[in-house]
Amino acid sequence: METVVSGIRPTGKLHIGNYFGAVANFLKMQYEYNCYFFIADIHSLTTHPTPADLHNSVRQVLAENIAVGLDIDKCTLFIQSDVPEIPELYTYLNMNAYKGELERAASFKEKVRSNPDNVNAGLLTYPVLMATDILIHKAHKVPVGKDQEQHLEMTRTFGNRFNRLYNVEYFPEAQAFSYSDKLVKVPGLTGVGKMSKSGGDADAIFLADDEAVNTKKIMRAKTDAGPTQPNQKKPDEVQNLFDLMKLVSAMDVIENFDSAYNNCSIRYGDMKKQLAYDMEVFLKPIREKIADALKNETVLAQAAKLGAEKARESASKTLKEVREIIGFRKFY
Ligand code: TYM
């Protein structure tokens, strides 16, 4: 059976970009592959969260993963910092990753631009840590959104380089994966780029937020003044609303708004109301399950413990073999 790895940074609550880009695939993959899903809390240290914020975010994302339907008996769901083998392998792989290639990573360049006062070494070597997460379980498939594609390419580079350096065929080549024909990119509500936490609070729809909060955000989403000619190309912010509808609305509903756009009779207010309604139909049961999961301390603790044990078993096997390959042999 092929092995699957994917992680989510605990930056607060999960948004629908995380859900449709990654988690929706996890839910199906857990029954078909040997899956390792984890909360990437070491990754999140690049932005220096307070200890309380870090802990609460990890707890939230753990509860959310369980609430949406990850079955801890079918997959391994763990917290990254529970697996000390990861930072050890990361150290070894860092010797083999070059400054130039790390500086060229799109995510690094974007972080340097948006946050020039916090260009730390962890940010530069972020793709090495991510490669470690994947290689430590010798994964074949990595379900992620489109934004992670380049990191997967770097993972293959680092794995292949290790294999060449030591003349072994050890690490497999991991491929980005989605059940849909393309990797998913869920747009944000502010009209620019993918939905993200860093896009500000108005950009993202969170799984755990109340109906009123989500509806208000959708009603305020950016649009234009409306089409002036039949069959005009949709500007990005309007296309984004259609793309969001495709995630939660019925086909005929979307087609009606599409026709209305094409014959210039569309009323964006009506479209947003419909989107908010369909979003709530989708989110309500999830939100209720998240609230329940957050109340159940014992379930969370048991899940984290079981996940840590299973993840360490796989990680320590790889690390032992890697130490052998590298030439760390015992003198005693
Ligand atoms: P992160 O925490 O930013 O996002 C978690 C997952 O959600 C996907 N995603 C999206 N998909 C579609 N549209 C969006 N707007 C959107 N926003 C987020 C991401 O593609 C991702 O799959 N570096 C990773 C975490 C990570 C990881 C790994 C992933 C660490 N180690 C190993 C896979 C394998 C990240 O920051 O994802």
Side-chain angles (χ1 to χ4, degrees), residues 7 9 17-18 21 38 43 126 130 133 144-145 147-148 184 186 195:
R9 270 174 311 144
N18 302 131
F38 68 98
H43 282 270
Y126 186 104
M130 181 157 160
D133 297 325
V144 281
D147 58 312
Q148 298 297 320
V184 174
V186 176
M195 179 174 288

Side-chain angles (χ1 to χ4, degrees), residues 81-213:
S81 63
D82 278 340
V83 183
E85 288 81 4
I86 293 173
E88 185 175 335
L89 180 60
Y90 168 57
T91 304
Y92 306 152
L93 291 176
N94 265 326
M95 310 304 171
N96 224 332
Y98 292 92
K99 179 169 163 274
E101 64 189 340
L102 295 169
E103 280 171 344
R104 280 194 300 275
S107 57
F108 179 72
K109 288 199 279 195
E110 203 279 313
K111 292 272 158 51
V112 171
R113 219 175 8 249
S114 62
N115 221 335
D117 296 333
N118 185 28
V119 184
N120 58 64
L123 207 56
L124 182 69
T125 58
Y126 186 104
V128 186
L129 183 55
M130 181 157 160
T132 306
D133 297 325
I134 295 166
L135 296 172
I136 204 154
H137 300 295
K138 302 176 79 175
H140 306 95
K141 289 188 163 59
V142 184
V144 281
K146 178 121 186 85
D147 58 312
Q148 298 297 320
E149 210 167 22
Q150 193 183 32
H151 288 152
L152 262 287
E153 217 175 285
M154 295 176 82
T155 299
R156 289 190 288 274
T157 302
F158 299 143
N160 285 334
R161 197 175 283 156
F162 179 94
N163 289 350
R164 266 200 313 278
L165 180 65
Y166 295 106
N167 200 15
V168 287
E169 277 186 40
Y170 188 69
F171 290 123
E173 279 198 341
Q175 305 293 339
F177 179 87
S178 165
Y179 281 106
S180 56
D181 51 353
K182 295 189 285 207
L183 295 185
V184 174
K185 176 183 162 189
V186 176
L189 292 170
T190 50
V192 279
K194 61 160 185 163
M195 179 174 288
S196 75
K197 251 214 107 197
S198 50
D201 209 39
D203 195 51
I205 298 172
F206 296 99
L207 302 183
D209 274 355
D210 285 343
E211 178 178 12
V213 173

